[in-house]
Amino acid sequence: MSSLSRELVFLILQFLDEEKFKESVHRLEQESGFFFNMKYFEEKALGGEWDEVEKYLSGFTKVDDNRYSMKIFFEIRKQKYLEALDRHDRAKAVEILVKDLKVFSSFNEELYKEITQLLTLENFRENEQLSKYGDTKSARSIMLVELKKLIEANPLFRDKLGFPTLKASRLRTLINQSLNWQHQLCKNPRPNPDIKTLFTDHSCSPPNGARAPTPVTLPVAAVAKPSTYSPLAAHVGSFPPTAAAANATALAGWMVNANPPPTVQSSVVGASSLSVPANQVSVLKHPRAPSTALGMTDYQSTDHEQLKKRLRSSQSVDEATYPVPPQQASWFLEDLPRTVACTMHQGSTVTSMDFHPSHHTLLAVGCGDGEITLWEVGLRERLVSKSFKIWDLTNCSMPLQAAIAKDPSISVSRIAWSPDGNLIGVAFTKHLIHLYTYQGSSELGQHLEIDAHVGGVNDIAFSHPNKQLCIVTCGDDKLIKVWDLSGRKLFHFEGHEAPVYSVCPHHKENIQFIFSTAVDGKIKAWLYDNMGSRVDYDAPGRWCTTMLYSADGTRLFSCGTSKDGDSFLVEWNESEGAIKRNYVGFRKKSAGVVQFDTTRNRFLAAGEDNQIKFWDMDNTNMLTSTEAEGGLPSLPRLRFNREGNLLVVTTAENGLKILANADGLRTLRAMETRSYETSRGITEMKVSSSAVVTSISPVISKVERVDRSSPARPTPTINGVESIARDIEKPRNLEDVSDKAKPWELTEIIDPIQCRAVTMPEGTNSACKVARLLYTNSGVGILALGSNGVQKLWKWGRSERNPGGKATASVVPQHWQPSNGLLMINDVPENSEEAVPCIALSKNDSYVMSACGGKVSLFNMMNFKVMTTFMPPPPASTFLAFHPQDNNIIAVGMEDSTIQIFNVRVDEVKTKLKGHQKRITGLAFSTSLNILVSSGADAQIIFWNTDTWEKRKSVAIQLPAGKAPVGDTRVQFHSDQVWLLVCHETQLALYDAAKMECIRQWMPQDVLSSPISCAVYSCNSQLIYATFTDGNIGVFDADSLKLRCRIAPSAYISQASTDSQTVYPLVVTAHPQEPNQLGVGLTDGSIKVMEPLETEQKWGVAAPVDSGTENGRSTASSATNNPTPEQVQR
């Protein structure tokens, strides 16, 4: 078979796989013998489908092809034989022995005899070689490991184990390009070509006049399985209507086509209904000059001249006329906000969210307990919270008063900003809507309370009929109502036969209308005329459905779930009232209603299966998905900001995660920088009016023209350089600034009454230091590894004082052990004093991996049982890190200075990294940069490429003069996955991992002059907690490395402990959701969890950044005694 024919087979395999023709895919793989699907092979082998396993193998090799093939078939048939014996099915065992295993007797007769003798044993495990045979499942897994090695070593499988790298939907792309080319060759190309078949070449029949060519774009579904075809009349006609006319008649198209079939249409449709909007084309493609290398100058026919004119006036065929599927453009994925920028704890179940239309980091949140909150996500700051209360009970109807008296609980069903951002509408699950005013302050004004519906108000939206801002609501009473801003009811729409689930007001040119959906699956459309519904359709799934328009208002989408749990995301053809695209990618069943959103006129996103799934609007196949580092509920809620660079999603722990793309991360960083610089600039203006004239920059001088307490807006970067100065506790108004205009003083906590601290019970053991300390990722427990190799776990339970059950310094936790009484004890060598304890916790807290000079042990966190052990010394393991995207892959730092990339599932070292001179002391992965950073006792930091595992760069940390390169160096990534914290006993340092260079450095000085023992970022990466060998704890601003608070040992260590020995923290850890909570493990074996006082809520106040101090300095300043302002603060 020729090379092109072979490649065609791969294209067909990809097509079959995308269309879910699973059996056909594997039959073609077997019959062609081009691609051995290891995943499918594993699936069938683990399922014990031995006939299918051998049948699939037969397409690639036979028993007697070579020794590898013989061994493969022998292992499979031996396993089948042993399973029959294990089932005591002697007849089947004899059949396998005679039919399947007999062939091997001619090669090894003794082995065949030994296998035969197993029939005489009551239990074949009596055979010494089979004594360790476990259950069927584990035996198959062990066999598979061996089979994979044999297959990979077998020369017959060479070049057949990897599928070629193809852009998604490649076969469809080629077909569309072919049709485009055929259309270009038409003498009289029609603007709306009627493509009904692929069996013959396309040609346009002569129209009434010549018109410019229109690109042909087939929908994905059209190539797959066209079940019905659009009538010819749908595509034949005179010149297409103008855009305005099309918009004006869009709703009319729905009204004419009264009852389309409920099934999803997959007919072949013309280019008119599928062409990409002009503003989207520029984003989808990189324009390029027309091709001049077609070599057609020898053919001077009329057709040729006509074709040349078209080609000269347009882009090349594949660029100009084919909307590239999203997977074919790598920059698409970069546009999606998928990087977790921060996590914020709401405290109660989040039921609705909406970003401000112009302040793109201002988020309104509604909760299950009726509370509404405004968050400034750029500062991770809760600006205002409003608990639910009825504003005027006398204006409430008797049914509402009775409902509240019977059950006072109430939830927010929907929260929405008005288009101008001056109002917030809130719909509640009982009768009411609230309207708040927002004028750029951190306070919300009560504007309007309406007893709007009987029962729950299910949705609220804003519209502009007759150029008047109005509120549209719907409810359990089956009604849609329109209100003006004074609370007067303008319209009252009835016609639904079930509670109305959602409303979607919109306008086309001068036509204003409302789409509504009910819980019986009916979609209706209303004009503002009280004349009844103009549309009556069935939504896919016929249950709860939400409708949304794209940002430019040209495309309509809906997403919903059926009562059976099937979810549907579709695009509608407004002109025909029919489904245009049905997006695929949902799992079969959902226990609730899937939520979705749109952004940038390009992307759709939906929350399902504990993840966020993304689609390109022009491709029905799912573009990508993200679990957002875990912790999402089964059906997360989500919302894009208007720019599409931020995405907020709900978490399973009553929190919010902000996901960002590169632009979003820059926006957040600039937002924090502006807030910091604004507070600093205002302080300087108050302190010295003369300094204003000479020192305030043009940006700072604009402060007085901004609303005093409005969220600061992001600033552009200057000369391509972004400032990283941040401070989460920023002044939000001039009164706050006035307090901070006083001379700044370091906050010093020296007395136990100045903070909250709790000691873990059963933790103190003076003979055993706390070597490693971790919070569980859920934030409900803390895990300690002692120098004796024993791990202990403490958990906080739910109580009146701690209703959330999270770790807190206000409640003493319980030393937790499973009912079996097991302890998590590591293998410890005799010379345990020299052992280096190390630990790593899986993302879902289900298992923990640790070592203490001996083998690495994997413990089940539910029952503390050892799941497996691996990597016995020498050399011993000294640091462990899970791969962030695959818990089966771990990076293991070793005592001999190497790093081993180990696959736990197959018990195999994938690669070994060499570059350090002494033992490994730290490892950190960055998923956004695809790097692993390692640190060693040689004071070196090495950056490794995680795709190839090649060393990119080695950097020596900048030590004080005369200091030998010894001591542990630790590394940890900032939440943006770019900035890197490096901790050594001599310094704290910040590195830009993208540039692999040091940006800022702090060295022990003044009140904190002892060596550093450990340091860690807070969960939001705004603070750094550092512990010192004299017992002090320093709280630093993460970006400026300015000390903001010192916690003296007298505040948390009892005098009795310090009398006999020097007690200090060896390790520090930060709570995964509470930025102001930390835990420390001490040299006397005790463990403390600490928080600020509830009245303070934070550790001190941010230090002003000025050029006169060297507290936090850039690396350049370490070489000079006179650092410039640019060196101190970038």
Side-chain angles (χ1 to χ4, degrees):
M1 184 176 288
S2 69
S3 174
L4 287 180
S5 298
R6 186 173 184 274
E7 291 180 0
L8 179 59
V9 171
F10 280 113
L11 294 181
I12 295 171
L13 284 173
Q14 182 197 43
F15 172 79
L16 293 174
D17 183 64
E18 290 174 341
E19 295 303 310
K20 310 302 181 188
F21 295 112
K22 296 299 184 184
E23 291 187 13
S24 300
V25 169
H26 303 311
R27 288 288 76 78
L28 181 55
E29 288 169 352
Q30 175 211 328
E31 291 180 9
S32 66
F34 291 156
F35 173 62
F36 185 82
N37 192 324
M38 188 69 81
K39 184 177 179 181
Y40 174 72
F41 179 74
E42 288 181 18
E43 176 188 320
K44 295 303 176 183
L46 288 173
E49 300 179 43
W50 305 119
D51 291 343
E52 176 59 22
V53 167
E54 289 210 20
K55 182 179 179 182
Y56 189 71
L57 268 175
S58 68
F60 302 88
T61 185
K62 300 293 185 291
V63 176
D64 55 355
D65 280 345
N66 57 43
R67 60 189 179 90
Y68 297 104
S69 300
M70 184 176 296
K71 178 67 171 170
I72 291 169
F73 280 96
F74 174 75
E75 290 295 330
I76 292 170
R77 295 175 184 182
K78 182 185 73 173
Q79 180 63 30
K80 183 165 59 167
Y81 176 65
L82 293 178
E83 288 182 17
L85 290 176
D86 211 20
R87 296 192 305 267
H88 301 289
D89 188 348
R90 302 279 170 164
K92 183 65 175 177
V94 170
E95 179 184 339
I96 296 169
L97 188 67
V98 173
K99 289 186 176 180
D100 297 333
L101 291 170
K102 180 69 174 176
V103 66
F104 302 106
S105 62
S106 58
F107 300 98
N108 193 330
E109 190 172 354
E110 290 300 319
L111 178 61
Y112 183 72
K113 288 180 180 179
E114 188 174 354
I115 291 174
T116 304
Q117 289 172 359
L118 296 179
L119 287 168
T120 64
L121 301 177
E122 182 64 26
N123 186 341
F124 63 80
R125 293 173 181 82
E126 297 173 18
N127 183 291
E128 183 179 354
Q129 295 181 19
L130 297 172
S131 60
K132 294 184 179 181
Y133 185 96
D135 58 12
T136 299
K137 185 177 180 180
S138 62
R140 289 175 181 172
S141 298
I142 293 170
M143 175 201 67
L144 257 179
V145 173
E146 181 65 22
L147 289 182
K148 288 180 69 175
K149 292 179 181 177
L150 290 168
I151 290 170
E152 290 168 358
N154 195 328
L156 293 176
F157 288 84
R158 191 168 297 148
D159 301 328
K160 297 181 180 181
L161 298 178
F163 199 86
T165 302
L166 301 175
K167 295 177 181 178
S169 307
R170 180 61 184 158
L171 187 59
R172 297 190 188 94
T173 301
L174 293 176
I175 292 172
N176 271 336
Q177 289 174 343
S178 171
L179 291 171
N180 282 322
W181 184 253
Q182 294 172 27
H183 188 56
Q184 293 281 358
L185 291 173
C186 294
K187 292 184 178 179
N188 298 294
R190 295 180 53 199
N192 300 312
D194 184 17
I195 310 295
K196 285 191 174 183
T197 181
L198 300 178
F199 296 155
T200 58
D201 288 348
H202 162 72
S203 63
C204 291
S205 55
N208 294 331
R211 284 173 286 187
T214 300
V216 180
T217 306
L218 284 176
V220 172
V223 184
K225 293 179 290 185
S227 55
T228 59
Y229 293 95
S230 301
L232 183 62
H235 303 289
V236 177
S238 58
F239 291 89
T242 64
N247 287 339
T249 58
L251 184 62
W254 281 65
M255 299 171 189
V256 172
N257 297 278
N259 289 299
T263 56
V264 176
Q265 297 182 0
S266 57
S267 56
V268 177
V269 294
S272 59
S273 63
L274 290 173
S275 58
V276 182
N279 64 337
Q280 195 171 347
V281 172
S282 62
V283 180
L284 285 172
K285 306 177 184 72
H286 292 300
R288 68 188 189 197
S291 174
T292 58
L294 296 177
M296 296 186 180
T297 54
D298 292 339
Y299 303 92
Q300 302 300 325
S301 66
T302 305
D303 289 351
H304 163 66
E305 290 300 324
Q306 191 175 33
L307 176 59
K308 282 203 299 181
K309 290 177 183 178
R310 291 177 201 153
L311 289 174
R312 282 195 296 268
S313 62
S314 67
Q315 295 170 322
S316 60
V317 174
D318 61 336
E319 285 286 319
T321 63
Y322 181 70
V324 184
Q327 296 93 329
Q328 295 188 18
S330 60
W331 59 89
F332 271 19
L333 296 180
E334 297 171 4
D335 290 340
L336 290 172
R338 295 184 299 157
T339 301
V340 176
C342 66
T343 300
M344 305 181 299
H345 186 61
Q346 178 64 38
S348 54
T349 305
V350 176
T351 55
S352 181
M353 306 168 293
D354 196 24
F355 276 103
H356 192 280
S358 56
H359 291 195
H360 301 300
T361 59
L362 184 61
L363 177 69
V365 175
C367 300
D369 58 2
E371 179 185 48
I372 67 167
T373 303
L374 282 188
W375 285 93
E376 177 44 71
V377 301
L379 307 178
R380 288 72 158 164
E381 189 171 10
R382 195 189 303 249
L383 299 179
V384 62
S385 288
K386 295 282 188 182
S387 299
F388 172 77
K389 66 177 181 179
I390 295 176
W391 297 350
D392 187 355
L393 191 60
T394 59
N395 289 334
C396 295
S397 63
M398 291 306 297
L400 172 57
Q401 295 183 42
I404 294 293
K406 181 179 179 181
D407 179 10
S409 64
I410 195 166
S411 174
V412 174
S413 53
R414 181 83 162 85
I415 190 167
W417 287 95
S418 63
D420 59 8
N422 293 329
L423 297 170
I424 298 178
V426 187
F428 295 96
T429 52
K430 290 177 183 171
H431 291 249
L432 291 176
I433 65 168
H434 282 170
L435 203 61
Y436 290 91
T437 57
Y438 175 79
Q439 298 297 332
S441 66
S442 57
E443 198 45 57
L444 294 175
Q446 295 180 2
H447 178 75
L448 183 64
E449 180 180 62
I450 305 176
D451 188 343
H453 293 268
V454 178
V457 184
N458 297 324
D459 201 3
I460 185 170
F462 292 90
S463 66
H464 279 90
N466 303 318
K467 299 182 180 180
Q468 176 188 5
L469 182 62
C470 295
I471 310 154
V472 183
T473 63
C474 65
D476 288 344
D477 55 5
K478 309 174 187 177
L479 300 176
I480 298 109
K481 299 180 182 180
V482 182
W483 317 81
D484 66 15
L485 297 187
S486 67
R488 182 169 61 96
K489 185 170 67 175
L490 301 178
F491 297 98
H492 173 110
F493 302 132
E494 60 180 293
H496 277 292
E497 298 177 359
V500 184
Y501 181 74
S502 70
V503 289
C504 178
H506 195 57
H507 66 91
K508 293 281 187 178
E509 294 299 322
N510 59 344
I511 299 180
Q512 301 273 345
F513 55 93
I514 303 170
F515 279 118
S516 63
T517 68
V519 297
D520 59 359
K522 289 294 183 181
I523 298 175
K524 294 181 183 292
W526 318 80
L527 298 176
Y528 293 86
D529 57 7
N530 286 323
M531 297 295 291
S533 170
R534 303 303 211 277
V535 162
D536 186 5
Y537 283 109
D538 288 324
R542 301 194 179 189
W543 197 40
C544 298
T545 295
T546 304
M547 306 185 80
L548 286 176
Y549 273 90
S550 58
D552 59 9
T554 61
R555 303 174 72 171
L556 177 63
F557 303 89
S558 73
C559 181
T561 305
S562 71
K563 291 181 179 180
D564 295 329
D566 296 316
S567 297
F568 301 88
L569 176 59
V570 302
E571 180 179 5
W572 292 88
N573 185 328
E574 287 183 273
S575 63
E576 298 179 7
I579 291 173
K580 182 174 177 178
R581 287 184 180 84
N582 183 29
Y583 299 91
V584 297
F586 293 108
R587 67 186 180 97
K588 289 297 182 183
K589 303 295 178 183
S590 294
V593 181
V594 169
Q595 306 293 316
F596 89 118
D597 201 5
T598 73
T599 188
R600 291 190 171 196
N601 304 313
R602 295 169 58 190
F603 299 120
L604 302 167
E608 191 241 10
D609 198 16
N610 304 96
Q611 56 187 312
I612 306 300
K613 300 180 176 180
F614 298 94
W615 289 262
D616 179 82
M617 290 180 177
D618 294 318
N619 195 315
T620 58
N621 294 319
M622 187 171 70
L623 179 60
T624 187
S625 65
T626 179
E627 295 182 352
E629 299 180 1
L632 302 188
S634 58
L635 295 172
R637 297 178 182 275
L638 71 162
R639 194 73 172 166
F640 287 102
N641 69 350
R642 298 302 190 272
E643 289 189 332
N645 57 13
L646 299 179
L647 174 66
V648 59
V649 299
T650 56
T651 71
E653 298 293 336
N654 298 336
L656 304 165
K657 286 191 177 185
I658 304 298
L659 278 62
N661 60 15
D663 288 339
L665 290 173
R666 283 192 288 270
T667 295
L668 295 177
R669 189 173 296 126
M671 170 85 196
E672 294 155 351
T673 302
R674 166 64 72 88
S675 181
Y676 177 84
E677 293 177 345
T678 299
S679 65
R680 178 186 170 213
I682 295 176
T683 302
E684 291 174 351
M685 283 188 275
K686 285 186 173 286
V687 172
S688 172
S689 59
S690 62
V692 175
V693 178
T694 58
S695 63
I696 300 298
S697 70
V699 175
I700 298 297
S701 67
K702 296 179 182 178
V703 170
E704 292 181 340
R705 294 194 293 274
V706 180
D707 184 89
R708 296 188 309 175
S709 52
S710 65
R713 293 170 179 262
T715 60
T717 59
I718 300 174
N719 297 330
V721 179
E722 300 168 3
S723 173
I724 61 169
R726 303 183 193 171
D727 174 23
I728 190 168
E729 288 84 14
K730 314 283 193 308
R732 293 196 308 273
N733 53 49
L734 292 181
E735 288 72 24
D736 291 339
V737 174
S738 178
D739 292 337
K740 291 183 179 169
K742 302 171 184 176
W744 177 85
E745 291 184 1
L746 173 69
T747 301
E748 296 196 281
I749 298 175
I750 58 177
D751 195 285
I753 64 171
Q754 292 179 275
C755 67
R756 290 179 288 159
V758 63
T759 303
M760 304 300 104
E762 304 177 45
T764 302
N765 180 354
S766 57
C768 172
K769 300 176 182 179
V770 180
R772 297 290 181 265
L773 192 65
L774 296 172
Y775 277 100
T776 59
N777 293 300
S778 61
V780 301
I782 197 164
L783 180 67
L785 172 60
S787 56
N788 61 354
V790 178
Q791 291 173 127
K792 291 185 177 182
L793 175 65
W794 289 267
K795 286 187 178 182
W796 280 259
R798 296 181 184 272
S799 64
E800 289 186 11
R801 293 186 63 194
N802 188 25
K806 294 289 186 180
T808 174
S810 301
V811 176
V812 178
Q814 175 192 4
H815 178 214
W816 191 88
Q817 282 185 275
S819 57
N820 57 25
L822 289 178
L823 297 175
M824 288 190 283
I825 303 176
N826 280 283
D827 175 34
V828 180
E830 293 181 2
N831 56 339
S832 59
E833 293 182 359
E834 300 178 5
V836 179
C838 49
I839 187 171
L841 185 64
S842 65
K843 285 189 295 187
N844 57 7
D845 294 333
S846 59
Y847 48 91
V848 62
M849 174 175 57
S850 58
C852 191
K855 291 184 290 187
V856 179
S857 299
L858 192 66
F859 294 93
N860 186 315
M861 286 284 282
M862 297 298 293
N863 54 29
F864 287 6
K865 290 183 178 179
V866 178
M867 299 169 65
T868 186
T869 60
F870 50 91
M871 289 201 169
S877 304
T878 57
F879 203 93
L880 302 169
F882 281 101
H883 192 289
Q885 295 170 329
D886 186 352
N887 274 340
N888 288 311
I889 304 297
I890 58 173
V892 185
M894 309 300 289
E895 192 175 34
D896 67 354
S897 77
T898 63
I899 303 163
Q900 299 194 20
I901 307 302
F902 185 76
N903 190 318
V904 179
R905 185 167 61 86
V906 298
D907 191 21
E908 183 177 82
V909 175
K910 291 182 62 178
T911 188
K912 186 180 291 188
L913 312 180
K914 297 180 181 180
H916 285 281
Q917 304 302 315
K918 296 182 180 178
R919 61 182 170 84
I920 304 301
T921 58
L923 295 168
F925 283 96
S926 169
T927 52
S928 63
L929 298 178
N930 290 329
I931 60 173
L932 168 67
V933 178
S934 61
S935 58
D938 54 1
Q940 293 282 330
I941 303 168
I942 299 181
F943 297 82
W944 310 87
N945 186 317
T946 54
D947 293 327
T948 61
W949 297 114
E950 294 177 351
K951 182 167 72 172
R952 295 181 60 185
K953 188 176 182 180
S954 178
V955 179
I957 66 172
Q958 299 176 13
L959 296 172
K963 175 67 178 177
V966 295
D968 289 1
T969 306
R970 303 287 173 78
V971 288
Q972 182 191 1
F973 269 104
H974 186 285
S975 58
D976 68 5
Q977 296 281 290
V978 175
W979 301 103
L980 180 76
L981 170 64
V982 176
C983 169
H984 185 264
E985 63 183 47
T986 65
Q987 65 189 272
L988 299 175
L990 297 178
Y991 282 71
D992 182 341
K995 299 178 181 177
M996 294 177 284
E997 60 184 35
C998 185
I999 302 301
R1000 184 167 280 110
Q1001 189 179 50
W1002 179 92
M1003 294 187 178
Q1005 56 193 271
D1006 302 329
V1007 293
L1008 298 178
S1009 57
S1010 295
I1012 302 168
S1013 58
C1014 192
V1016 67
Y1017 272 122
S1018 63
C1019 62
N1020 59 4
S1021 297
Q1022 300 301 300
L1023 303 174
I1024 293 173
Y1025 299 113
T1027 56
F1028 295 80
T1029 56
D1030 60 0
N1032 278 301
I1033 301 173
V1035 184
F1036 296 80
D1037 282 305
D1039 293 325
S1040 64
L1041 289 185
K1042 291 292 184 181
L1043 180 65
R1044 61 187 292 158
C1045 177
R1046 177 180 76 96
I1047 306 171
S1050 56
Y1052 68 98
I1053 301 176
S1054 65
Q1055 186 63 37
S1057 300
T1058 58
D1059 286 343
S1060 58
Q1061 58 178 330
T1062 301
V1063 177
Y1064 64 90
L1066 270 177
V1067 285
V1068 61
T1069 184
H1071 191 280
Q1073 285 106 34
E1074 298 295 337
N1076 287 289
Q1077 185 184 134
L1078 67 147
V1080 290
L1082 308 182
T1083 52
D1084 67 352
S1086 62
I1087 297 160
K1088 313 272 185 178
V1089 167
M1090 304 168 65
E1091 290 182 283
L1093 294 175
E1094 291 183 347
T1095 55
E1096 298 293 333
Q1097 297 186 347
K1098 58 187 178 182
W1099 299 107
V1101 178
V1105 179
D1106 65 273
S1107 59
T1109 68
E1110 292 194 27
N1111 189 356
R1113 60 189 179 184
S1114 70
T1115 54
S1117 70
S1118 63
T1120 177
N1121 293 325
N1122 299 300
T1124 64
E1126 290 74 19
Q1127 290 172 329
V1128 174
Q1129 181 181 354
R1130 291 167 49 226

